[in-house]
């Protein structure tokens, strides 16, 4: 019983990581469209994408156990 609960908790944590990555990717896309100059766009494109990628990697690690 507790092993099933642990599996469900890890699946939920992986889902939260993926949803966070999606939110960061959307924020990066909006930043690319809204910021006026190249340096601001570069910052908006890289910072959230890197953290989003780390969240995707964490979700994969949680899912694969």
């Amino acid at each position: 019983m507790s092993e099933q609960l642990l599996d469900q908790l890890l699946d939920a944590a992986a889902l939260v990581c993926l949803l966070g990555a999606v939110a960061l990717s959307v924020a990066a896309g909006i930043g690319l469209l809204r910021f006026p100059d190249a340096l601001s766009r570069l910052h908006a494109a890289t910072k959230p994408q890197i953290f989003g990628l780390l969240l995707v990697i964490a979700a994969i690690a949680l899912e694969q156990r």
Side-chain angles (χ1 to χ4, degrees):
M1 177 74 177
S2 66
E3 192 171 319
Q4 289 177 343
L5 180 62
L6 180 64
D7 284 341
Q8 288 178 348
L9 286 174
L10 289 175
D11 287 342
L15 179 64
V16 168
C17 287
L18 285 178
L19 291 176
V22 167
L24 286 170
S25 294
V26 169
I30 291 171
L32 282 175
L33 295 175
R34 303 277 319 238
F35 284 140
D37 59 348
L39 275 175
S40 296
R41 288 183 186 146
L42 185 65
H43 179 76
T46 56
K47 296 292 179 177
Q49 286 293 341
I50 294 300
F51 189 57
L53 179 63
L54 290 174
L55 285 175
V56 168
I57 291 170
I60 292 171
L62 286 171
E63 190 63 33
Q64 295 296 316
R65 312 285 191 267

